[in-house]
Amino acid sequence: MYLRPDEVARVLEKAGFEMDALTPKIYGYRRGESYVYVNREARMGRTALIIHPTLKEKSQHFAEPASEMKTCDHYTQFPLYLMGESQEHYGIPHGFSSRIALERYLQGVFGA
């Protein structure tokens, strides 16, 4: 069982991230130069946290991604995925089974 999107959002806020975007599909969170998305459509939480693609390698030391990537036209702070038919933005999705696991991940990747 993974943390639901609203639970991921609470952990991000506790870690000092501030919400600056809200759509039916995402919550966008910023802390300094760091930006992450919470995938509101991840009902089971497996892809609830979406990180910037440039953090993929660093992130792999702390958690395995849920899949290679996730595209969405709402991830406007992330780069466009130009290989697909529709040009959407993309990020790397993660899911966490506990708040502690997510807090450790944020500490490792973002120094939260």
Side-chain angles (χ1 to χ4, degrees):
M1 185 90 165
Y2 294 97
L3 295 176
R4 292 185 322 271
D6 59 324
E7 294 171 312
V8 171
R10 283 195 291 275
V11 173
L12 286 169
E13 290 170 3
K14 182 180 170 190
F17 284 81
E18 294 183 16
M19 186 189 306
D20 74 351
L22 171 64
T23 76
K25 292 185 177 185
I26 59 95
Y27 300 123
Y29 278 92
R30 177 182 308 279
R31 191 182 80 193
E33 297 297 311
S34 300
Y35 205 91
V36 298
Y37 287 100
V38 175
N39 175 11
R40 295 181 68 190
E41 297 179 316
R43 307 233 188 291
M44 295 299 170
R46 195 173 85 79
T47 60
L49 180 70
I50 312 295
I51 63 166
H52 196 283
T54 58
L55 294 173
K56 181 179 182 179
E57 192 172 310
K58 179 180 183 181
S59 169
Q60 288 178 332
H61 296 290
F62 305 102
E64 286 294 316
S67 64
E68 189 66 27
M69 72 172 164
K70 172 112 176 72
T71 60
C72 180
D73 56 339
H74 292 233
Y75 301 161
T76 58
Q77 297 291 321
F78 290 178
L80 282 171
Y81 182 67
L82 302 174
M83 302 298 280
E85 289 182 24
S86 65
Q87 293 188 353
E88 293 186 308
H89 299 271
Y90 75 103
I92 311 302
H94 290 78
F96 296 91
S97 58
S98 73
R99 290 176 184 230
I100 292 170
L102 177 53
E103 289 167 355
R104 285 185 190 141
Y105 175 83
L106 294 173
Q107 175 67 38
V109 176
F110 300 102

